[in-house]
Amino acid sequence: MRLEDVDLADNDKFLDGETPWRMFDVLREQAPVHWQDEGDHGSGFWSITRHADIVRVDRDAETFTSMKFVNLEEVDERQATIRRSLLETDGPRHGVLRRIMQREFTPRAVAGYEVFLRGLTARTLDAALAKGTFDFVKEVSADFPINVLAKMLDVPEDDTQQLIDWGNRIIGNTDPDYADVLLHSAESEKYRDLPFRSPASIEVFEYGRELARQRRGGDGTDLVSKLVNGTPSDGVPLSPNDFDNYFLLLVVAGNETTRHAISHTMRALIDHPEQAEKLRQDLSLMPNAVEEFLRWASPVYHFRRTATRDVEMHGQKIAEGDKVVMWFGSGNRDERVFDSPYTFDVTRQNNDHITFGKGSPHFCLGNALARLEIRVMFEELLPRLADIKLAGDIRRVRSNFVNGIKELPVTVTLA
């Protein structure tokens, strides 16, 4: 691939599962800080593709702010105020908002879910594997994390399919199979004040508000009760907008990313049966393997920041106000950090992946839960399988934001 053929603003280039990595390879080697035109869809952005540079940008919230939003869409101040969530907040208030939920997501806290997770995994796998041939995404990787979320929110299991649907419609706002309204369409202007410009956000807000109404003033320990009954440490209560956006983030963020990480891991283990066999023979390798799963999957391609001052990187002059995009997927294939980065190796040591961020104020709050969910899933799944093969074409989400698989047809032979 030539440098002039790189276009990270083109969602269609992310459909085949190969072109993005080729583009990242070219940029890391030839243009580690690269200006990307967006045509009619935006003012353009700087692509940051090397591991060390991504870490630098992610850590420096004073120079590279999230307050101007973390997706490629450009918003005005009024939109920013209405749509701002934990992700789009910097400084002391960001720390305050994180602390509302931080205790619920510590390694010690999420370890308490392991027994539940193993029971849930067994039920999920019992139902799926009995079919012999099935869509792994629908039957396993989408079903599993959403049930964990349902328990943490204390909502009925019957609501899980609705939660999945909302996540698809919101995160998949550039995929015609998922989106009610495509992001860059004229119709999306009607929804410019909603997260991801998705009308599904209204439904999520209404669902969350009803839960809040039911639990306000109660003594529940679920995540909604923590939001509505807790007092932020700075004494500034959550506004109605704060609650709406925090609730939507809980519904969408962890569920979508863990789901795609599990799907990509399954695909990798199918493509590399010798690696699956290593794990099957020695499940004690699994905690280490999970780090390779996360590096390999890179379920979120990018997050964006905005320069607060003029700054120079690799000879390129980034101006105040420019969009700066950290391509985590590229950083996780950086040959300066990873030996043989395109080798899937469950025994890889010193795996310094940046899937959750690294040393950043925005380091993923749910990282311990994601690691536990992925570990439990494959500890329970692999011993049940004598073989697993693809049973059809893999279909991917049309998105340069989420690295998603929407269909993964498989045929299994049970052990």
mmCIF file of all heavy atoms in Angstrom, residues 72 89 100 121 145 179 219 241 243 298 300 365:
data_model
loop_
_atom_site.group_PDB
_atom_site.id
_atom_site.type_symbol
_atom_site.label_atom_id
_atom_site.label_comp_id
_atom_site.label_asym_id
_atom_site.label_seq_id
_atom_site.Cartn_x
_atom_site.Cartn_y
_atom_site.Cartn_z
ATOM 1 N N LEU A 72 -14.711 11.373 16.073
ATOM 2 C CA LEU A 72 -14.317 12.270 14.992
ATOM 3 C C LEU A 72 -15.324 13.386 14.744
ATOM 4 O O LEU A 72 -14.974 14.455 14.260
ATOM 5 C CB LEU A 72 -14.112 11.470 13.699
ATOM 6 C CG LEU A 72 -12.922 10.505 13.725
ATOM 7 C CD1 LEU A 72 -12.872 9.686 12.446
ATOM 8 C CD2 LEU A 72 -11.610 11.276 13.908
ATOM 9 N N THR A 89 -14.754 14.470 29.621
ATOM 10 C CA THR A 89 -14.480 15.341 30.769
ATOM 11 C C THR A 89 -13.023 15.169 31.176
ATOM 12 O O THR A 89 -12.527 14.048 31.257
ATOM 13 C CB THR A 89 -15.395 14.987 31.950
ATOM 14 O OG1 THR A 89 -16.749 15.000 31.520
ATOM 15 C CG2 THR A 89 -15.222 15.980 33.095
ATOM 16 N N ILE A 100 -17.267 7.790 41.292
ATOM 17 C CA ILE A 100 -18.628 7.326 41.575
ATOM 18 C C ILE A 100 -18.725 5.824 41.358
ATOM 19 O O ILE A 100 -19.403 5.109 42.100
ATOM 20 C CB ILE A 100 -19.644 8.057 40.669
ATOM 21 C CG1 ILE A 100 -19.697 9.544 41.008
ATOM 22 C CG2 ILE A 100 -21.040 7.432 40.818
ATOM 23 C CD1 ILE A 100 -20.554 10.355 40.049
ATOM 24 N N THR A 121 -21.738 -18.438 31.938
ATOM 25 C CA THR A 121 -21.010 -18.982 30.789
ATOM 26 C C THR A 121 -21.501 -20.384 30.465
ATOM 27 O O THR A 121 -21.706 -20.725 29.290
ATOM 28 C CB THR A 121 -19.496 -19.011 31.074
ATOM 29 O OG1 THR A 121 -19.066 -17.718 31.472
ATOM 30 C CG2 THR A 121 -18.716 -19.436 29.845
ATOM 31 N N PRO A 145 -21.649 -10.831 27.690
ATOM 32 C CA PRO A 145 -21.383 -9.609 28.460
ATOM 33 C C PRO A 145 -22.639 -8.834 28.816
ATOM 34 O O PRO A 145 -22.695 -8.178 29.858
ATOM 35 C CB PRO A 145 -20.480 -8.781 27.544
ATOM 36 C CG PRO A 145 -20.117 -9.630 26.395
ATOM 37 C CD PRO A 145 -21.021 -10.810 26.374
ATOM 38 N N ALA A 179 -27.614 1.158 11.972
ATOM 39 C CA ALA A 179 -28.010 2.533 12.304
ATOM 40 C C ALA A 179 -29.440 2.833 11.884
ATOM 41 O O ALA A 179 -29.867 2.472 10.787
ATOM 42 C CB ALA A 179 -27.063 3.519 11.637
ATOM 43 N N ASP A 219 -32.038 1.820 48.949
ATOM 44 C CA ASP A 219 -30.748 1.380 49.489
ATOM 45 C C ASP A 219 -30.095 0.334 48.589
ATOM 46 O O ASP A 219 -29.299 -0.490 49.034
ATOM 47 C CB ASP A 219 -30.924 0.825 50.905
ATOM 48 C CG ASP A 219 -31.928 -0.330 50.961
ATOM 49 O OD1 ASP A 219 -32.466 -0.714 49.900
ATOM 50 O OD2 ASP A 219 -32.164 -0.848 52.071
ATOM 51 N N ASN A 241 -28.715 15.662 32.653
ATOM 52 C CA ASN A 241 -27.877 15.313 31.493
ATOM 53 C C ASN A 241 -26.728 14.405 31.895
ATOM 54 O O ASN A 241 -26.388 13.457 31.180
ATOM 55 C CB ASN A 241 -27.307 16.575 30.836
ATOM 56 C CG ASN A 241 -28.244 17.189 29.825
ATOM 57 O OD1 ASN A 241 -29.242 16.594 29.446
ATOM 58 N ND2 ASN A 241 -27.928 18.397 29.397
ATOM 59 N N PHE A 243 -26.629 12.272 34.345
ATOM 60 C CA PHE A 243 -27.142 10.916 34.572
ATOM 61 C C PHE A 243 -27.415 10.212 33.248
ATOM 62 O O PHE A 243 -27.021 9.051 33.054
ATOM 63 C CB PHE A 243 -28.420 10.936 35.419
ATOM 64 C CG PHE A 243 -29.038 9.561 35.538
ATOM 65 C CD1 PHE A 243 -28.576 8.666 36.484
ATOM 66 C CD2 PHE A 243 -30.044 9.155 34.671
ATOM 67 C CE1 PHE A 243 -29.107 7.383 36.572
ATOM 68 C CE2 PHE A 243 -30.585 7.887 34.744
ATOM 69 C CZ PHE A 243 -30.117 6.989 35.703
ATOM 70 N N SER A 298 -7.978 -5.547 19.826
ATOM 71 C CA SER A 298 -8.062 -4.073 19.736
ATOM 72 C C SER A 298 -9.477 -3.639 19.381
ATOM 73 O O SER A 298 -9.729 -3.079 18.310
ATOM 74 C CB SER A 298 -7.066 -3.539 18.688
ATOM 75 O OG SER A 298 -5.743 -3.811 19.073
ATOM 76 N N VAL A 300 -11.458 -1.281 20.092
ATOM 77 C CA VAL A 300 -11.684 0.123 19.735
ATOM 78 C C VAL A 300 -10.487 0.582 18.922
ATOM 79 O O VAL A 300 -9.353 0.576 19.402
ATOM 80 C CB VAL A 300 -11.855 1.003 20.988
ATOM 81 C CG1 VAL A 300 -11.962 2.473 20.591
ATOM 82 C CG2 VAL A 300 -13.079 0.579 21.785
ATOM 83 N N LEU A 365 -12.093 2.171 32.831
ATOM 84 C CA LEU A 365 -12.609 1.876 34.163
ATOM 85 C C LEU A 365 -12.980 0.405 34.311
ATOM 86 O O LEU A 365 -12.833 -0.187 35.380
ATOM 87 C CB LEU A 365 -13.833 2.754 34.434
ATOM 88 C CG LEU A 365 -14.341 2.888 35.861
ATOM 89 C CD1 LEU A 365 -13.272 3.468 36.769
ATOM 90 C CD2 LEU A 365 -15.592 3.772 35.892
#
